[in-house]
Amino acid sequence: MASLLIDIHTHLYPPSYLSLLKARKTVPYVHQPAGSSSPRLIILPSDDDPSIPQHQRGRPLDPSYSSLHLKLQFMKQHNIAASVVSLANPWLDFLPANEGAEAARMVNDEMVALGSSEKFKGKIFAFGTLPLSAPMDLIVQEIHRLQGLHKVIKGVILGTSGLGKGLDDEALDPIWHALEETGLLIFLHPHYGLPAEVFGPKLAASGHVLPLSMGFPMETTIAFTRMYLCGVFDRFPKLKMLLAHAGGTTPFLAGRVDSCVRHERAFLDKSGKLKQRRSIWEVLKENIWLDGVVYSEIGIRAAVDIVGSDRVLWGTDHPFFPPIESEETEQEWLSVKLNIEAVEKAQEPNSTSAKNILGLNAVTLLDLELPSEAYR
Amino acid sequence: MASLLIDIHTHLYPPSYLSLLKARKTVPYVHQPAGSSSPRLIILPSDDDPSIPQHQRGRPLDPSYSSLHLKLQFMKQHNIAASVVSLANPWLDFLPANEGAEAARMVNDEMVALGSSEKFKGKIFAFGTLPLSAPMDLIVQEIHRLQGLHKVIKGVILGTSGLGKGLDDEALDPIWHALEETGLLIFLHPHYGLPAEVFGPKLAASGHVLPLSMGFPMETTIAFTRMYLCGVFDRFPKLKMLLAHAGGTTPFLAGRVDSCVRHERAFLDKSGKLKQRRSIWEVLKENIWLDGVVYSEIGIRAAVDIVGSDRVLWGTDHPFFPPIESEETEQEWLSVKLNIEAVEKAQEPNSTSAKNILGLNAVTLLDLELPSEAYR
C-alpha cells in the first residue's frame, strides 16, 4: 500500500486576496497586460526588474494559484489525501495599518469556508494569516479568533519581517505570547530573500534560481537564528514552529551557530563565563518542526538527524514549481517526485519513519480529522 | 593509535602582510590604540561599526595571528602533524592595481621560506595568494610561478569577489584556465559575508555570531552556485576546488538548486527543452572537495553524502575561535574538539573514512611529503 500523503506546504490565493493584488502597482502586484497575454504575478522584489518588459516580469498567474478545483485535481493526481493550505507570500505584510485586520478576517474566513464545505471537508485544512500591519490588540484578537476555528485552521503562516524589524524585535512578544498560549503552530515562510546585490550583475541570466534556491532558504535560516539569539525561545519555551524548506539551511548550520555562540565574547558575563541560554540543539528538538521540501535525500537525512523523524513533515510547495517541459503537464510533477524520493531514499522505503514523514506526523501534530478512506 | 591529523584550514598573517594592514585606516586595517591596549584587527565590514569605540572594534590582534612559533605550539598541543596554512581574508583583494603583484610575490615567498626551513619542513605547507587587483597577465604569471613552488605551495586561496564582480564574471576565464592547467587546488574562502541589513537592527547584541555563522557560509554557497550556474565547471571541467566550512551550506541546498534549475524557464531552449549542462551533483562529485570545519556530525554526514568520504578534509580555522573562558586557554580548544568529534560521530571511530577525513585525504590530494614519524 502507498503511504498516506499529507501536504503541509501548499499555497492558495483566495479570490479576495487576488483582488487586493490586482489593485496594486508595486510589489506584490498582479499586472494584466493589454491584449491577450495572461496576467503576471510579481511577488518577489527581484521580479520587479525595470530592465524586463512588464509583460514578462514575474511569472504567469495561472488559475492554479487560486483554484481549489485545480488543487484537488493536483492532490488526486499525486494521491495526496489532505492539504494544509496557506496564503502565499507576502501575505498581508504590505497593507496599511487600518486595512490589515479586516483583510485577515476575510482571508481566514474564506479558508475556513473552503475547509468546512461538504466537498472539501477532511481534505483541506489551513494555516491562518495574521494582520501584522494592524494595531497589536487586533493581531492578538485575530490569533484568539483563529483558535476557535480549529476544525480547519491548524496554525498561522508567518513571514520574516514581523512588524518591520524582523522576528527578533521585542515588540513581537505579545504575539509570541498569544501563539504560545493558543498552541497554534507557526509556519515560518520566506518571502524577502536576500538583497539582489549578493547575487551579482548576472542575476537575471539564471531567472529565479538564485533568489529561490539561495535567498529563500537563507532568509528563513537567518530569521530563525535571530529569534534564537535574542532569546525568543527562552522567553516563550512552548512556542511551536514549523520551518519552511526543511529549515532553509538550519540543519546544516546549527553546529556553526552553536560554536559561534560558545566562542562569542559578547555573551560573556562579568566573571568571564558564558551566559546561560537554551542550546540551539535543545530548541530544535523541542520547539521546531521542519517541512520536507528540500529535494534531496541529503537534506531529509540532515533534517531527521536534527529534529527527529517524528518532526519532519512532507510537502509540495504547490502550485509553485510546475513541470516546465510542455509534455509533462499531465504527468506526475517532478517537484513532487523529487520530494517523495528524497524521503524514501533517506529512510527505508515503507518504514515507520518514512510513513511518518510523508503523512502521519501531520495528522498527529495538527490533529487532522481525515475521512476513514484516507487510511485505506 | 590516534589518527593522523592534517589541518587544511588554518590561517597565518606573515609579517609583511601585517605591515600592510597597519598602514591602513579602512577595512581591513590594524588599529593601535593609544596607551597600553593591544592592537585591534578590523577585517569584516561589519566590524567597522562607528557606534563601537575604535579600541573595541573587531578583535584583539594577538600574536597567534602571525607567530609561526605559536602555530607549532597549537599543532603540538592538538597532535596535528602538518598544517596547510593560508593567508586570512581579505588577502590582497584591496590593493591598488600596481601593488598587487609585488605584494603577492612577497607573501607567497614568505610562505615558501617558512615551509622550506629545516624547522618546519614537512609540517608547514601553504596555499598561495593571487594578486587579483593586478593586470591579468601578472595574475596568470603568479599562478605559473606558484606551480614551480610545489614542495610547499599546494594550491591557492581565493575570495568570492574575483575581479570585483564575483566569480561568475567571464573576465576570470584566463585565471580558471591557468588554475586548471597547473592543477592547483583552489581553496574558496568567504570574507564579505552578507549586507548588514539582513541581520537587522539587533546585530551588535550577538557580536560576531550572525556574520560568522550565517554570512560566511552563505557567501561561499552563493559564490559556488553562481560559478555553477554561469557554466564555469562546463568550460573548465578539470578545476579542483576546496570549499571552506564544508561548502558553507552547499551540501544542504544542492537539491534545491538542482530542482530550481530543472524548473527554470530561463534555461529552456527554443524547443521548450532544458538546455544541457553538467548537473550540480556531478560537479560536486568531480570538481569539489569540502573542508570539515562544520562543528557537527550532521554537517560532516551531509558533506560525506554529497562528495564522498575521500573528498572531505579536516581543519581547525586556527587562530580564529580560541577558547574564551579564561581557564581554558592551555587546554584543548573547544573549536578543535568539536570538529574532531563531528568526524568521529559521523563515521565509525577509527574507521578508514574517519582517518581519511582527519588526515589521509589531504596527504593524497596535495601530495604532502611528511616526515616518517608523522605516521607512527
Side-chain angles (χ1 to χ4, degrees), chain B residues 285-305:
Chain B
K285 284 201 195 323
E286 296 176 5
N287 298 88
I288 301 300
W289 284 257
L290 302 174
D291 80 24
V293 183
V294 68
Y295 309 93
S296 78
E297 62 180 296
I298 297 169
I300 292 288
R301 198 172 299 138
V304 166
D305 277 353

Side-chain angles (χ1 to χ4, degrees), chain A residues 9 11 43-44 59 89 187-193 199 206 208-221 243-250 291-300 315-318 320-321 334-335 338-339 342, chain B residues 221 224-225 228-229 249-264 267 279-281 284 306:
Chain A
H9 187 155
H11 299 294
I43 49 172
L44 301 180
R59 63 201 80 205
N89 48 298
F187 179 26
L188 180 65
H189 194 288
H191 166 68
Y192 300 94
F199 300 125
S206 55
H208 294 98
V209 174
L210 286 164
L212 288 180
S213 72
M214 304 273 113
F216 262 31
M218 292 174 179
E219 176 192 354
T220 306
T221 311
L243 306 183
H245 312 118
T249 67
T250 302
D291 79 24
V293 183
V294 70
Y295 309 93
S296 78
E297 62 179 299
I298 297 170
I300 293 288
T316 63
D317 220 343
H318 181 265
F320 300 97
F321 305 108
L334 173 66
S335 53
L338 288 172
N339 280 317
Chain B
T221 311
F224 164 71
T225 306
Y228 168 68
L229 291 175
T249 67
T250 302
F252 195 75
L253 289 183
R256 192 165 166 90
V257 173
D258 181 52
S259 176
C260 282
V261 166
R262 294 165 73 183
H263 288 92
E264 177 51 55
F267 293 149
S279 81
I280 194 165
W281 306 111
L284 284 163
I306 208 159

Side-chain angles (χ1 to χ4, degrees), chain B residues 102-174:
Chain B
E102 193 189 328
R105 278 194 300 272
M106 193 168 64
V107 168
N108 289 331
D109 286 344
E110 265 183 291
M111 293 290 200
V112 171
L114 292 171
S116 313
S117 70
E118 219 31 64
K119 198 168 166 195
F120 303 125
K121 208 167 162 178
K123 287 182 182 160
I124 296 290
F125 302 92
F127 290 123
T129 304
L130 298 183
L132 290 179
S133 63
M136 184 55 76
D137 58 332
L138 297 184
I139 307 176
V140 170
Q141 194 176 310
E142 186 66 7
I143 293 173
H144 287 283
R145 195 179 78 89
L146 288 172
Q147 188 187 20
L149 305 170
H150 61 87
K151 289 258 173 203
V152 175
I153 299 287
K154 299 300 181 176
V156 296
I157 188 164
L158 191 73
T160 65
S161 75
L163 305 176
K165 293 183 185 166
L167 300 182
D168 51 5
D169 178 2
E170 272 143 25
L172 288 162
D173 278 6

Side-chain angles (χ1 to χ4, degrees), chain A residues 67-84:
Chain A
S67 161
L68 201 60
H69 170 72
L70 292 176
K71 178 78 75 188
L72 263 286
Q73 193 173 305
F74 167 82
M75 288 167 62
K76 198 166 181 184
Q77 187 184 353
H78 294 89
N79 206 21
I80 296 169
S83 291
V84 186

Side-chain angles (χ1 to χ4, degrees), chain A residues 65-306:
Chain A
Y65 285 80
S66 53
S67 161
L68 201 60
H69 170 72
L70 292 176
K71 178 78 75 188
L72 263 286
Q73 193 173 305
F74 167 82
M75 288 167 62
K76 198 166 181 184
Q77 187 184 353
H78 294 89
N79 206 21
I80 296 169
S83 291
V84 186
V85 300
S86 44
L87 193 61
N89 48 298
W91 316 285
L92 305 170
D93 289 10
F94 53 84
L95 287 181
N98 61 342
E99 295 177 19
E102 192 188 328
R105 277 195 300 273
M106 193 168 64
V107 168
N108 289 330
D109 286 345
E110 266 184 291
M111 293 290 201
V112 170
L114 292 171
S116 315
S117 70
E118 220 30 66
K119 197 167 167 195
F120 304 125
K121 208 168 162 177
K123 287 183 183 159
I124 297 289
F125 302 92
F127 290 123
T129 303
L130 299 183
L132 290 178
S133 64
M136 183 55 76
D137 58 333
L138 297 183
I139 307 176
V140 170
Q141 194 176 308
E142 185 65 8
I143 293 173
H144 287 282
R145 195 179 78 89
L146 288 172
Q147 187 187 20
L149 305 170
H150 59 89
K151 290 258 175 201
V152 175
I153 299 287
K154 298 299 181 177
V156 296
I157 189 164
L158 192 73
T160 65
S161 75
L163 305 176
K165 294 181 185 169
L167 300 182
D168 51 4
D169 178 2
E170 273 142 26
L172 288 162
D173 278 6
I175 297 177
W176 304 132
H177 178 72
L179 289 167
E180 192 182 49
E181 199 176 33
T182 55
L184 284 168
L185 179 72
I186 305 157
F187 179 26
L188 180 65
H189 194 288
H191 166 68
Y192 300 94
L194 294 175
E197 66 193 87
V198 306
F199 300 125
K202 295 170 99 71
L203 172 56
S206 55
H208 294 98
V209 174
L210 286 164
L212 288 180
S213 72
M214 304 273 113
F216 262 31
M218 292 174 179
E219 176 192 354
T220 306
T221 311
I222 292 169
F224 164 71
T225 307
R226 284 171 57 181
M227 286 179 71
Y228 168 68
L229 290 174
C230 85
V232 170
F233 299 101
D234 293 297
R235 296 201 296 287
F236 304 97
K238 292 186 176 162
L239 272 187
K240 299 193 294 182
M241 191 171 240
L242 169 71
L243 306 183
H245 312 118
T249 67
T250 302
F252 194 74
L253 289 182
R256 191 165 167 91
V257 173
D258 182 51
S259 176
C260 283
V261 166
R262 294 164 75 183
H263 287 93
E264 178 51 55
R265 288 169 213 268
F267 293 148
L268 293 179
D269 65 18
K270 282 177 185 166
S271 68
K273 289 281 185 190
L274 274 173
K275 290 175 196 155
Q276 284 297 309
R277 66 162 73 224
R278 293 176 70 200
S279 80
I280 194 165
W281 307 111
E282 190 183 331
V283 169
L284 283 163
K285 282 198 193 330
E286 296 176 5
N287 299 87
I288 301 300
W289 283 257
L290 302 174
D291 79 24
V293 183
V294 70
Y295 309 93
S296 78
E297 62 179 299
I298 297 170
I300 293 288
R301 199 172 299 139
V304 166
D305 277 353
I306 208 159

Side-chain angles (χ1 to χ4, degrees), chain B residues 13-34 37-44 47-48 54-63 65-66 88-90 94 320:
Chain B
Y13 289 167
S16 61
Y17 189 69
L18 275 189
S19 311
L20 271 177
L21 295 187
K22 281 177 183 160
R24 293 171 53 83
K25 298 284 172 216
T26 53
V27 174
Y29 66 102
V30 168
H31 173 66
Q32 176 66 61
S37 339
S38 65
R40 309 284 298 183
L41 174 63
I42 295 100
I43 48 173
L44 301 181
D47 289 343
D48 202 29
Q54 211 175 22
H55 67 280
Q56 289 173 6
R57 283 183 214 165
R59 63 200 82 207
L61 177 75
D62 75 61
Y65 285 79
S66 53
N89 48 301
F94 52 84
F320 299 97

Side-chain angles (χ1 to χ4, degrees), chain B residues 301-331:
Chain B
R301 198 172 299 138
V304 166
D305 277 353
I306 208 159
V307 295
S309 64
D310 53 342
R311 297 172 85 100
V312 178
L313 295 88
W314 183 82
T316 63
D317 221 344
H318 181 264
F320 299 97
F321 305 108
I324 55 164
E325 294 185 346
S326 46
E327 71 272 33
E328 288 179 12
T329 45
E330 296 305 311
Q331 295 171 12

